[in-house]
Amino acid sequence: MTKILTGGVGKVEVTRAIGGLGIDSLDVVPSSDMDAAMKLRAGQADYYLGTCHTGAGASLGVLVGLLGSASCHTFGRSVPTEEAITALLAEGKKAFGFSMDQIDVIAPLMARAIAARG
C-alpha cells in the first residue's frame, strides 16, 4: 500500500479526488505540512501532494526546508503531462505542489502515476 499525504488549503479536495478514483493500492490521508515532512523522513509515508492558491511557495515551503529541494517539485499553475510526472517520480521526487484550481486534473494524474510505480 502506497501512502499519500495531502496538505495545504485544498487537502480535503485532493483526498476526495484521489479517493474517488477507486485505486485500492493507494492510502490517501489529509495531513499538515509539518507532520507530512516528518512522516516522509521517517518512511511512514511515501508521497505528499500540497496545494495553495498559486502552487508555488506555500504548497511546499515546509517540505523543501525539511526534505530538501531535491525531493520536492512544484507544478505551480501548469498542468504536467503523465510522462513528466513519471520522470519526476523516477528521479526520486516525493513532495509535489500545485494550485487549487488544478486539483481536478493534477490529483488524478499524480495518483495514477504513483499507482503505476507499484
Side-chain angles (χ1 to χ4, degrees):
M1 180 77 61
T2 302
K3 187 168 194 165
I4 300 172
L5 301 176
T6 65
V9 292
K11 66 184 170 187
V12 172
E13 292 87 347
V14 173
T15 302
R16 269 193 226 128
I18 295 174
L21 298 173
I23 303 173
D24 293 334
S25 62
L26 300 180
D27 179 23
V28 186
V29 180
S31 179
S32 70
D33 50 2
M34 182 63 80
D35 188 50
M38 299 317 242
K39 285 184 176 174
L40 284 166
R41 285 176 67 174
Q44 298 171 347
D46 301 293
Y47 297 97
Y48 173 81
L49 303 180
T51 53
C52 69
H53 293 285
T54 64
S59 64
L60 288 177
V62 170
L63 282 95
V64 169
L66 294 175
L67 300 178
S69 60
S71 295
C72 302
H73 180 81
T74 182
F75 297 114
R77 297 187 48 78
S78 66
V79 176
T81 63
E82 186 177 334
E83 294 78 17
I85 293 170
T86 300
L88 291 165
L89 293 170
E91 289 173 18
K93 303 290 185 190
K94 300 277 183 197
F96 297 87
F98 49 96
S99 66
M100 285 187 54
D101 62 348
Q102 303 295 346
I103 289 172
D104 291 340
V105 177
I106 295 178
L109 283 171
M110 289 298 308
R112 289 184 186 111
I114 290 169
R117 291 183 59 81

